[in-house]
Amino acid sequence: SAVISQKPSRDICQRGTSLTIQCQVDSQVTMMFWYRQQPGQSLTLIATANQGSEATYESGFVIDKFPISRPNLTFSTLTVSNMSPEDSSIYLCSVEGAASDPSTDTQYFGPGTRLTVL
Amino acid sequence: AQSVSQHNHHVILSEAASLELGCNYSYGGTVNLFWYVQYPGQHLQLLLKYFSGDPLVKGIKGFEAEFIKSKFSFNLRKPSVQWSDTAEYFCAVNETGGSYIPTFGRGTSLIVHP
């Protein structure tokens, strides 16, 4: 499968600050996705990031709170802005397909970033 | 809109016991179905998937799942679990030929006692 790395793996942040999470993929991909996984909950899609265009946000998520960059086909960042304790969650990056499974109907996930906001 | 239900939120088994995790979805069209697993401290991994063909799908580590269209179900099974199967299991579905973005269930936490 595609090798997806995220930085940082975890962080503890103060209320009101912002954190930028990086996602790096070892191959070029068209679509990258950002998910949130809150404690005891399922995965919720935040936005879809295409290279060269603005991200598409899901209902309940806005660009001012979760700005996303996609400067090239192997990299994306998600910023969690003006954080509050409710933003404590695991944030996951994912891509479609992989070297071993080029099907674009299957998503593969990074290791996640565990964020705790105090 | 699609929805995915995993009825068992927490399952505790002893080693060698048989496992079946339920997954039901609501969508009237043709779907692709997935099971993902997240071992403690590790990232989400694809366990198996169904797109078409034989409704009994075999995945990694001895897991299998059966798609029963009439019941809108895609239950995950393993005849004999091991301690190393302790993990969180997520069922997911997306539309065939439609939005490739999957809808996930809430997950089932499986603890296997040695």
Side-chain angles (χ1 to χ4, degrees), chain B residues 24-39:
Chain B
N24 288 90
Y25 67 93
S26 65
Y27 179 67
T30 306
V31 295
N32 302 316
L33 297 151
F34 309 84
W35 276 97
Y36 285 87
V37 60
Q38 189 171 28
Y39 297 103

PDB file of all heavy atoms in Angstrom, chain B residues 24-39:
ATOM      1  N   ASN B  24     -24.389  -3.426   9.160  1.00  0.00           N
ATOM      2  CA  ASN B  24     -25.523  -3.207   8.266  1.00  0.00           C
ATOM      3  C   ASN B  24     -25.429  -1.808   7.684  1.00  0.00           C
ATOM      4  O   ASN B  24     -24.965  -0.888   8.346  1.00  0.00           O
ATOM      5  CB  ASN B  24     -26.843  -3.368   9.009  1.00  0.00           C
ATOM      6  CG  ASN B  24     -27.142  -4.808   9.344  1.00  0.00           C
ATOM      7  OD1 ASN B  24     -26.755  -5.300  10.399  1.00  0.00           O
ATOM      8  ND2 ASN B  24     -27.806  -5.494   8.444  1.00  0.00           N
ATOM      9  N   TYR B  25     -25.873  -1.669   6.473  1.00  0.00           N
ATOM     10  CA  TYR B  25     -25.824  -0.367   5.831  1.00  0.00           C
ATOM     11  C   TYR B  25     -27.190  -0.040   5.258  1.00  0.00           C
ATOM     12  O   TYR B  25     -28.016  -0.937   5.022  1.00  0.00           O
ATOM     13  CB  TYR B  25     -24.759  -0.331   4.737  1.00  0.00           C
ATOM     14  CG  TYR B  25     -25.077  -1.211   3.553  1.00  0.00           C
ATOM     15  CD1 TYR B  25     -25.742  -0.709   2.438  1.00  0.00           C
ATOM     16  CD2 TYR B  25     -24.728  -2.569   3.557  1.00  0.00           C
ATOM     17  CE1 TYR B  25     -26.060  -1.520   1.371  1.00  0.00           C
ATOM     18  CE2 TYR B  25     -25.048  -3.379   2.494  1.00  0.00           C
ATOM     19  CZ  TYR B  25     -25.699  -2.865   1.402  1.00  0.00           C
ATOM     20  OH  TYR B  25     -26.028  -3.675   0.348  1.00  0.00           O
ATOM     21  N   SER B  26     -27.411   1.234   5.058  1.00  0.00           N
ATOM     22  CA  SER B  26     -28.650   1.640   4.417  1.00  0.00           C
ATOM     23  C   SER B  26     -28.290   2.420   3.171  1.00  0.00           C
ATOM     24  O   SER B  26     -27.655   3.474   3.254  1.00  0.00           O
ATOM     25  CB  SER B  26     -29.513   2.493   5.351  1.00  0.00           C
ATOM     26  OG  SER B  26     -28.873   3.707   5.634  1.00  0.00           O
ATOM     27  N   TYR B  27     -28.622   1.865   2.050  1.00  0.00           N
ATOM     28  CA  TYR B  27     -28.463   2.529   0.747  1.00  0.00           C
ATOM     29  C   TYR B  27     -29.127   1.640  -0.282  1.00  0.00           C
ATOM     30  O   TYR B  27     -28.941   0.442  -0.278  1.00  0.00           O
ATOM     31  CB  TYR B  27     -26.981   2.733   0.406  1.00  0.00           C
ATOM     32  CG  TYR B  27     -26.797   3.385  -0.935  1.00  0.00           C
ATOM     33  CD1 TYR B  27     -27.205   4.697  -1.142  1.00  0.00           C
ATOM     34  CD2 TYR B  27     -26.256   2.688  -2.013  1.00  0.00           C
ATOM     35  CE1 TYR B  27     -27.071   5.297  -2.390  1.00  0.00           C
ATOM     36  CE2 TYR B  27     -26.120   3.280  -3.249  1.00  0.00           C
ATOM     37  CZ  TYR B  27     -26.528   4.584  -3.429  1.00  0.00           C
ATOM     38  OH  TYR B  27     -26.395   5.175  -4.656  1.00  0.00           O
ATOM     39  N   GLY B  28     -29.882   2.241  -1.163  1.00  0.00           N
ATOM     40  CA  GLY B  28     -30.658   1.458  -2.113  1.00  0.00           C
ATOM     41  C   GLY B  28     -29.919   1.020  -3.351  1.00  0.00           C
ATOM     42  O   GLY B  28     -30.395   0.153  -4.071  1.00  0.00           O
ATOM     43  N   GLY B  29     -28.745   1.586  -3.602  1.00  0.00           N
ATOM     44  CA  GLY B  29     -28.031   1.289  -4.830  1.00  0.00           C
ATOM     45  C   GLY B  29     -26.960   0.235  -4.634  1.00  0.00           C
ATOM     46  O   GLY B  29     -26.926  -0.491  -3.647  1.00  0.00           O
ATOM     47  N   THR B  30     -26.062   0.195  -5.599  1.00  0.00           N
ATOM     48  CA  THR B  30     -24.963  -0.771  -5.556  1.00  0.00           C
ATOM     49  C   THR B  30     -23.801  -0.186  -4.772  1.00  0.00           C
ATOM     50  O   THR B  30     -23.439   0.975  -4.970  1.00  0.00           O
ATOM     51  CB  THR B  30     -24.510  -1.111  -6.989  1.00  0.00           C
ATOM     52  OG1 THR B  30     -25.643  -1.535  -7.741  1.00  0.00           O
ATOM     53  CG2 THR B  30     -23.484  -2.228  -6.961  1.00  0.00           C
ATOM     54  N   VAL B  31     -23.232  -1.000  -3.903  1.00  0.00           N
ATOM     55  CA  VAL B  31     -22.212  -0.482  -3.000  1.00  0.00           C
ATOM     56  C   VAL B  31     -20.933  -1.309  -3.050  1.00  0.00           C
ATOM     57  O   VAL B  31     -20.926  -2.460  -3.489  1.00  0.00           O
ATOM     58  CB  VAL B  31     -22.721  -0.444  -1.541  1.00  0.00           C
ATOM     59  CG1 VAL B  31     -23.877   0.543  -1.390  1.00  0.00           C
ATOM     60  CG2 VAL B  31     -23.128  -1.838  -1.079  1.00  0.00           C
ATOM     61  N   ASN B  32     -19.865  -0.671  -2.612  1.00  0.00           N
ATOM     62  CA  ASN B  32     -18.621  -1.353  -2.278  1.00  0.00           C
ATOM     63  C   ASN B  32     -18.541  -1.388  -0.759  1.00  0.00           C
ATOM     64  O   ASN B  32     -18.931  -0.423  -0.098  1.00  0.00           O
ATOM     65  CB  ASN B  32     -17.408  -0.598  -2.829  1.00  0.00           C
ATOM     66  CG  ASN B  32     -17.480  -0.423  -4.335  1.00  0.00           C
ATOM     67  OD1 ASN B  32     -17.824  -1.349  -5.066  1.00  0.00           O
ATOM     68  ND2 ASN B  32     -17.168   0.773  -4.794  1.00  0.00           N
ATOM     69  N   LEU B  33     -18.020  -2.464  -0.213  1.00  0.00           N
ATOM     70  CA  LEU B  33     -18.008  -2.642   1.237  1.00  0.00           C
ATOM     71  C   LEU B  33     -16.608  -2.948   1.722  1.00  0.00           C
ATOM     72  O   LEU B  33     -15.850  -3.645   1.048  1.00  0.00           O
ATOM     73  CB  LEU B  33     -18.962  -3.787   1.606  1.00  0.00           C
ATOM     74  CG  LEU B  33     -20.425  -3.519   1.250  1.00  0.00           C
ATOM     75  CD1 LEU B  33     -21.154  -4.806   0.954  1.00  0.00           C
ATOM     76  CD2 LEU B  33     -21.110  -2.770   2.357  1.00  0.00           C
ATOM     77  N   PHE B  34     -16.280  -2.436   2.885  1.00  0.00           N
ATOM     78  CA  PHE B  34     -14.926  -2.548   3.414  1.00  0.00           C
ATOM     79  C   PHE B  34     -14.972  -2.877   4.911  1.00  0.00           C
ATOM     80  O   PHE B  34     -15.885  -2.475   5.621  1.00  0.00           O
ATOM     81  CB  PHE B  34     -14.171  -1.215   3.262  1.00  0.00           C
ATOM     82  CG  PHE B  34     -14.204  -0.637   1.880  1.00  0.00           C
ATOM     83  CD1 PHE B  34     -15.276   0.142   1.461  1.00  0.00           C
ATOM     84  CD2 PHE B  34     -13.157  -0.854   1.005  1.00  0.00           C
ATOM     85  CE1 PHE B  34     -15.309   0.693   0.177  1.00  0.00           C
ATOM     86  CE2 PHE B  34     -13.178  -0.311  -0.270  1.00  0.00           C
ATOM     87  CZ  PHE B  34     -14.247   0.463  -0.678  1.00  0.00           C
ATOM     88  N   TRP B  35     -13.940  -3.568   5.341  1.00  0.00           N
ATOM     89  CA  TRP B  35     -13.619  -3.653   6.758  1.00  0.00           C
ATOM     90  C   TRP B  35     -12.186  -3.168   6.939  1.00  0.00           C
ATOM     91  O   TRP B  35     -11.271  -3.616   6.239  1.00  0.00           O
ATOM     92  CB  TRP B  35     -13.736  -5.086   7.287  1.00  0.00           C
ATOM     93  CG  TRP B  35     -15.135  -5.474   7.682  1.00  0.00           C
ATOM     94  CD1 TRP B  35     -16.048  -6.163   6.940  1.00  0.00           C
ATOM     95  CD2 TRP B  35     -15.776  -5.187   8.926  1.00  0.00           C
ATOM     96  NE1 TRP B  35     -17.215  -6.320   7.638  1.00  0.00           N
ATOM     97  CE2 TRP B  35     -17.077  -5.738   8.860  1.00  0.00           C
ATOM     98  CE3 TRP B  35     -15.392  -4.528  10.102  1.00  0.00           C
ATOM     99  CZ2 TRP B  35     -17.989  -5.646   9.927  1.00  0.00           C
ATOM    100  CZ3 TRP B  35     -16.291  -4.445  11.148  1.00  0.00           C
ATOM    101  CH2 TRP B  35     -17.573  -4.998  11.058  1.00  0.00           C
ATOM    102  N   TYR B  36     -12.043  -2.231   7.879  1.00  0.00           N
ATOM    103  CA  TYR B  36     -10.726  -1.730   8.258  1.00  0.00           C
ATOM    104  C   TYR B  36     -10.454  -2.168   9.693  1.00  0.00           C
ATOM    105  O   TYR B  36     -11.368  -2.320  10.510  1.00  0.00           O
ATOM    106  CB  TYR B  36     -10.680  -0.201   8.190  1.00  0.00           C
ATOM    107  CG  TYR B  36     -10.620   0.374   6.800  1.00  0.00           C
ATOM    108  CD1 TYR B  36     -11.784   0.621   6.064  1.00  0.00           C
ATOM    109  CD2 TYR B  36      -9.398   0.707   6.223  1.00  0.00           C
ATOM    110  CE1 TYR B  36     -11.723   1.174   4.794  1.00  0.00           C
ATOM    111  CE2 TYR B  36      -9.335   1.267   4.946  1.00  0.00           C
ATOM    112  CZ  TYR B  36     -10.502   1.491   4.246  1.00  0.00           C
ATOM    113  OH  TYR B  36     -10.439   2.032   2.988  1.00  0.00           O
ATOM    114  N   VAL B  37      -9.164  -2.298  10.014  1.00  0.00           N
ATOM    115  CA  VAL B  37      -8.766  -2.656  11.374  1.00  0.00           C
ATOM    116  C   VAL B  37      -7.713  -1.663  11.854  1.00  0.00           C
ATOM    117  O   VAL B  37      -6.878  -1.194  11.072  1.00  0.00           O
ATOM    118  CB  VAL B  37      -8.224  -4.103  11.433  1.00  0.00           C
ATOM    119  CG1 VAL B  37      -6.999  -4.285  10.541  1.00  0.00           C
ATOM    120  CG2 VAL B  37      -7.874  -4.493  12.868  1.00  0.00           C
ATOM    121  N   GLN B  38      -7.796  -1.334  13.124  1.00  0.00           N
ATOM    122  CA  GLN B  38      -6.825  -0.426  13.737  1.00  0.00           C
ATOM    123  C   GLN B  38      -6.290  -1.090  14.991  1.00  0.00           C
ATOM    124  O   GLN B  38      -6.973  -1.140  16.024  1.00  0.00           O
ATOM    125  CB  GLN B  38      -7.476   0.909  14.060  1.00  0.00           C
ATOM    126  CG  GLN B  38      -6.506   1.983  14.492  1.00  0.00           C
ATOM    127  CD  GLN B  38      -7.188   3.348  14.587  1.00  0.00           C
ATOM    128  OE1 GLN B  38      -8.379   3.451  14.839  1.00  0.00           O
ATOM    129  NE2 GLN B  38      -6.416   4.399  14.368  1.00  0.00           N
ATOM    130  N   TYR B  39      -5.082  -1.650  14.891  1.00  0.00           N
ATOM    131  CA  TYR B  39      -4.452  -2.274  16.052  1.00  0.00           C
ATOM    132  C   TYR B  39      -3.955  -1.183  17.000  1.00  0.00           C
ATOM    133  O   TYR B  39      -3.688  -0.058  16.568  1.00  0.00           O
ATOM    134  CB  TYR B  39      -3.307  -3.177  15.612  1.00  0.00           C
ATOM    135  CG  TYR B  39      -3.759  -4.333  14.755  1.00  0.00           C
ATOM    136  CD1 TYR B  39      -3.577  -4.312  13.377  1.00  0.00           C
ATOM    137  CD2 TYR B  39      -4.408  -5.432  15.311  1.00  0.00           C
ATOM    138  CE1 TYR B  39      -4.023  -5.358  12.573  1.00  0.00           C
ATOM    139  CE2 TYR B  39      -4.858  -6.477  14.526  1.00  0.00           C
ATOM    140  CZ  TYR B  39      -4.667  -6.423  13.152  1.00  0.00           C
ATOM    141  OH  TYR B  39      -5.123  -7.447  12.370  1.00  0.00           O
TER     142      TYR B  39
END
